[in-house]
Amino acid sequence: MTSSVPALLLVEDDANLRLALRDNLENQGGYAVEEATCVREAREHLGRRDFQLILLDVMLPDGDGYTLCRALREEGVATPVLMLTARTLEDDVVRGFESGAQDYLGKPYRLRELLARVGALVRRSGAAPVKGLRFAGYRMDLDRRKVETPAGASVELTRTEFDLLAFLVRERERVLRRDEILDAVWGRDVVVDPHTVDNFVSSLKKKLGWNSTSRFAIQTVRGVGYRMEIEAA
């Protein structure tokens, strides 16, 4: 994905609908799409990077789109929101707009209309896609491959260290096997001792200045691999 491709966050708990919508947005709309199935996952994605548009289902397993949208606006998040829902009564539509959504589309939707509305909202946002990750006050610029501490100091990482950190941050809170990390960072065709990962994790901790008071931790999962844990701001 290049920085010219608008990034969308799709928040939808229906697996079939979510996968179909993602395929259409990527293949016909040309967008880069990340998926969330609930409010918690949506929060995790929003904490990692910026998006040009959020497509938000109203009814979610751990909350509702109205409440999430309102909370984002109260927190100063200005990313446009397009609500997708089967609830199309006037009161529901008004509630969606009052919560801070820019548009509201009822299910089942017509694909051409959906793509047109998405395109209009992305253009209206006027925001250049930001290709970066954030965690515990640190900032990662994926285009320039630079990392800054919460204090603004640069962290010098090798190419592999940078790729490893980006992978850990993207997959935060998930237990990652060593072979899974090797495939993602070093490549499937590269033969590397699995314990090479241990050395790189140790180097990352040192360069990032990790200590017991840090708001993040790269936890060792004995016999398996690692898990990146990040304290909420």
Side-chain angles (χ1 to χ4, degrees), residues 110-128:
R110 295 184 292 271
L111 180 58
R112 289 180 61 190
E113 179 183 3
L114 170 68
L115 292 174
R117 287 175 182 261
V118 168
L121 287 170
V122 169
R123 290 191 299 272
R124 194 184 307 166
S125 72

Side-chain angles (χ1 to χ4, degrees), residues 5 31 41 69 77 88 91 118 120-121 123 175 189 198 210 221:
V5 178
Y31 302 107
E41 290 181 5
C69 186
V77 177
T88 55
D91 286 347
V118 168
L121 287 170
R123 290 191 299 272
V175 176
D189 298 326
D198 304 339
W210 179 86
V221 180

Side-chain angles (χ1 to χ4, degrees), residues 63-177:
D64 66 81
Y66 300 129
T67 302
L68 175 59
C69 186
R70 183 176 295 107
L72 293 175
R73 297 300 181 242
E74 290 173 352
E75 294 165 13
V77 177
T79 306
V81 172
L82 169 58
M83 286 193 168
L84 300 174
T85 178
R87 301 177 62 170
T88 55
L89 294 176
E90 182 179 5
D91 286 347
D92 296 319
V93 176
V94 170
R95 185 180 177 191
F97 285 117
E98 288 180 342
S99 69
Q102 277 65 39
D103 205 350
Y104 198 105
L105 187 60
K107 300 176 185 177
Y109 54 81
R110 295 184 292 271
L111 180 58
R112 289 180 61 190
E113 179 183 3
L114 170 68
L115 292 174
R117 287 175 182 261
V118 168
L121 287 170
V122 169
R123 290 191 299 272
R124 194 184 307 166
S125 72
V130 177
K131 198 170 183 188
L133 299 171
R134 294 173 293 187
F135 69 99
Y138 290 78
R139 293 179 178 274
M140 298 186 69
D141 185 322
L142 301 183
D143 283 328
R144 297 190 301 160
R145 301 182 69 81
K146 293 184 178 296
V147 178
E148 287 187 354
T149 68
S154 294
V155 180
E156 298 298 327
L157 299 179
T158 67
R159 179 190 64 80
T160 303
E161 288 170 344
F162 186 93
D163 291 343
L164 173 59
L165 178 59
F167 182 61
L168 291 171
V169 172
R170 286 192 180 103
E171 301 297 327
R172 64 179 71 183
E173 308 301 337
R174 190 165 76 82
V175 176
L176 302 168
R177 302 186 313 276

